[in-house]
Amino acid sequence: MAIKGKARCAALLGVCALMAACSGDEATEPALSPAAFKQAMLAEVQQLTADFNAGDVAKLGRHYASDQVLMVDGGANLDAAGARARRSQQTQYDIQLANSDIVVYAPASQDMATVRSTCVVTVLDKTTRQPVAPPQPNNCLLGYRRQADGTMKVNWGLTVPIVPHTVK
C-alpha cells in the first residue's frame, strides 16, 4: 500500500523526527585544542611509563580500559585481568620501560588517540641487579579510547621488536 500526499509528508516528517531524536544532542566542541589534547595524551603516556616503572600494579591498571587487549611479542594476547596477573607475577624482576620518539595521533573529536613510540624494555634480576637479557627496543602502539567517565584509557596495545630476536 503506497502512502500518498499529506500522509507521505507526515510519514517523512515522522521519520526525520525519529532520526533526530536517535542522533542525540548536537555534537559538542572538544574541550581542548588539538595541541593541548596531544600534550595531555603525552602526559598520560609519561605517567603510564612512570607507574609501570614503579611496579605498582594498581596504579598501572588505572591506565587501561576494562576490555583492553595487549599484544606483546612472544606471548599470548592479554586481556585486562591477564595483563595485571602477568605484571604482578613478575616479582623476581625489575622491569623498566623507556619511551622515546612519542607521536600522538588523534581525531578532532578527541574520542580516541593512537600513541606510537620507541619503547625499550630492560629486565634486571632484583637480587643481583644484573640484566636478564639485553635491553629490547620495540615499536609500540597504544590505542586510547574515551571512557564513559570522560577519561582516556588504553583499549589496545601492540609491541613489536625493532630487531628480530628469539623470545624465550
Side-chain angles (χ1 to χ4, degrees):
M1 175 169 156
I3 301 175
K4 296 185 179 181
K6 289 183 182 179
R8 181 185 307 175
C9 185
L12 183 58
L13 286 173
V15 169
C16 289
L18 180 61
M19 289 174 65
C22 291
S23 68
D25 296 333
E26 289 292 317
T28 58
E29 289 294 316
L32 301 172
S33 71
F37 181 72
K38 287 183 178 183
Q39 280 302 114
M41 291 306 305
L42 178 61
E44 156 56 26
V45 170
Q46 291 168 336
Q47 187 61 55
L48 182 150
T49 302
D51 291 344
F52 181 94
N53 290 339
D56 187 329
V57 176
K59 278 186 182 179
L60 186 60
R62 287 187 275 244
H63 296 275
Y64 293 91
S66 61
D67 60 347
Q68 61 103 66
V69 175
L70 294 180
M71 296 158 272
V72 180
D73 174 55
N77 291 349
L78 299 170
D79 62 6
R84 281 191 301 274
R86 181 175 178 191
R87 184 67 173 126
S88 63
Q89 291 166 355
Q90 296 169 332
T91 56
Q92 70 271 33
Y93 302 114
D94 180 13
I95 304 170
Q96 295 295 299
L97 177 64
N99 282 303
S100 61
D101 307 321
I102 301 171
V103 179
V104 177
Y105 302 96
S109 64
Q110 299 178 6
D111 60 343
M112 61 173 286
T114 302
V115 178
R116 176 178 52 87
S117 68
T118 300
C119 54
V120 178
V121 177
T122 303
V123 181
L124 300 174
D125 182 287
K126 277 191 175 180
T127 305
T128 65
R129 304 299 302 157
Q130 296 300 309
V132 174
Q136 179 61 50
N138 299 283
N139 290 312
C140 296
L141 286 174
L142 292 177
Y144 281 82
R145 183 181 68 198
R146 187 163 308 281
Q147 304 299 297
D149 66 0
T151 59
M152 295 294 286
K153 293 192 177 184
V154 176
N155 190 53
W156 58 266
L158 174 63
T159 303
V160 178
I162 292 172
V163 178
H165 67 286
T166 303
V167 177
K168 296 179 183 178

